[in-house]
Amino acid sequence: MLDKFREAKQLEIESLHKNFMEGHLPAAYQGPRPSFVEAIRAKGPGAIIAEFKPASPSRGVLGENLNPLDFADIYARNGAAAISVLTEHKYFKGTPDFLFMMNGPGLPLLRKDFIFDPLQVAMTASSPASAVLLIARMCDDAEHLKQLIDIARMPGLAPVVEIFDQADLDRAREAGADIIQVNNRDLDTLTTTLDQGRRFIKQKRDGELWICASGVDTRAQVEEMAGLGFDAVLIGTSLMLADDPGAKLAELAGGK
């Protein structure tokens, strides 16, 4: 799947490089960029990062004619600390436009996509996003990941580095990452187990912010992950499939 995700981004990256060679580099966003880290710390441990994604590779289309503006308001009203915004089109039916559409309530936005080229990070900086997802295993090595982290930090983006195995965590640490997201879903096989989070959180260090992603859909699981040391839990599918996403989020957030 990772190879398919990478392939799906090639046309976008080629277009960004063409524009760059012609002297067109996206200007950094000049509006407010609320702190992703501060928002998580204020509601953590176990803060909820509520995700907006119209589709997923494992579940297909999650809803028809979904309005991102409505979801931004629902998430802001019902306890989300931040919003994860899928911007990948082929597999998740997302678009970078969602970042502008969901900016109204003022929650920090995490751009979630398959980002492994410096110009993709620069493009993210031209949006209202407060954070950008970087998947450790999509980078060639720690130096490649460090380059992306450094570019993200320059305009004030928080680089969230996603890991799945020990090699990923080692690469993230070598690259200087201080926000670690443990993906409980194997992106190669799309199978999910919370044992991933339970195992890796034992390696959390002082000063790091850790996020548990995928597979959490009950308040008891949120409380368990918080008790283990996760500052935040990223929840998407169960919110997107809920008859009442606001009520589901309020339940997951437990009044936070």
Side-chain angles (χ1 to χ4, degrees):
M1 285 304 303
L2 278 174
D3 289 339
K4 291 181 179 180
F5 295 149
R6 185 185 293 273
E7 184 180 336
K9 303 306 292 183
Q10 289 306 319
L11 282 178
E12 174 190 312
I13 291 171
E14 288 170 10
S15 176
L16 288 171
H17 277 266
K18 181 176 181 292
N19 290 339
F20 179 72
M21 295 303 291
E22 293 173 353
H24 305 301
L25 187 65
Y29 180 70
Q30 296 301 309
R33 207 187 291 279
S35 171
F36 180 78
V37 171
E38 289 179 9
I40 297 298
R41 298 254 187 241
K43 293 205 172 193
I48 306 294
I49 303 170
E51 186 162 86
F52 179 74
K53 57 178 178 182
S56 79
S58 58
R59 301 295 288 267
V61 174
L62 299 175
E64 299 285 355
N65 304 314
L66 300 176
N67 188 335
L69 283 81
D70 291 342
F71 272 83
D73 288 336
I74 289 168
Y75 288 167
R77 289 199 310 267
N78 288 282
I83 301 176
S84 170
V85 183
L86 259 299
T87 62
E88 194 279 330
H89 177 68
K90 183 173 181 179
Y91 294 98
F92 293 89
K93 308 303 179 193
T95 166
D97 292 342
F98 288 165
L99 293 166
F100 291 89
M101 298 170 73
M102 302 187 77
N103 190 40
L107 288 183
L109 305 177
L110 165 64
R111 183 190 180 191
K112 192 171 178 184
D113 207 319
F114 301 102
I115 293 175
F116 49 90
D117 187 280
L119 290 180
Q120 290 177 289
V121 182
M123 179 186 171
T124 307
S126 72
S127 80
S130 293
V132 60
L133 184 73
L134 304 173
I135 300 173
R137 63 175 54 188
M138 295 200 82
C139 295
D140 300 327
D141 50 32
E143 188 58 36
H144 179 190
L145 179 56
K146 182 180 187 303
Q147 179 190 33
L148 300 182
I149 289 172
D150 291 346
I151 292 171
R153 285 174 174 158
M154 281 191 284
L157 289 171
V160 177
V161 178
E162 183 173 285
I163 69 159
F164 182 75
D165 60 18
Q166 189 62 47
D168 290 346
L169 180 56
D170 293 343
R171 176 175 293 180
R173 290 252 171 83
E174 186 179 345
D178 56 7
I179 306 175
I180 303 294
Q181 177 165 298
V182 180
N183 195 344
N184 296 308
R185 177 175 289 118
D186 185 337
L187 290 180
D188 285 322
T189 65
L190 299 183
T191 57
T192 304
T193 172
L194 291 180
D195 287 341
Q196 277 285 102
R198 295 180 181 116
R199 182 168 65 251
F200 277 101
I201 192 62
K202 297 173 184 176
Q203 298 188 55
K204 182 182 180 182
R205 294 176 179 172
D206 290 344
E208 292 179 339
L209 186 146
W210 278 52
I211 301 166
C212 176
S214 302
V216 174
D217 57 16
T218 69
R219 177 61 190 167
Q221 290 170 329
V222 172
E223 291 175 344
E224 180 193 356
M225 294 301 121
L228 291 173
F230 280 103
D231 300 279
V233 178
L234 190 149
I235 302 175
T237 301
S238 62
L239 291 174
M240 300 303 301
L241 293 176
D243 292 333
D244 185 339
K248 179 65 174 176
L249 175 57
E251 171 198 329
L252 289 164
K256 285 191 179 182

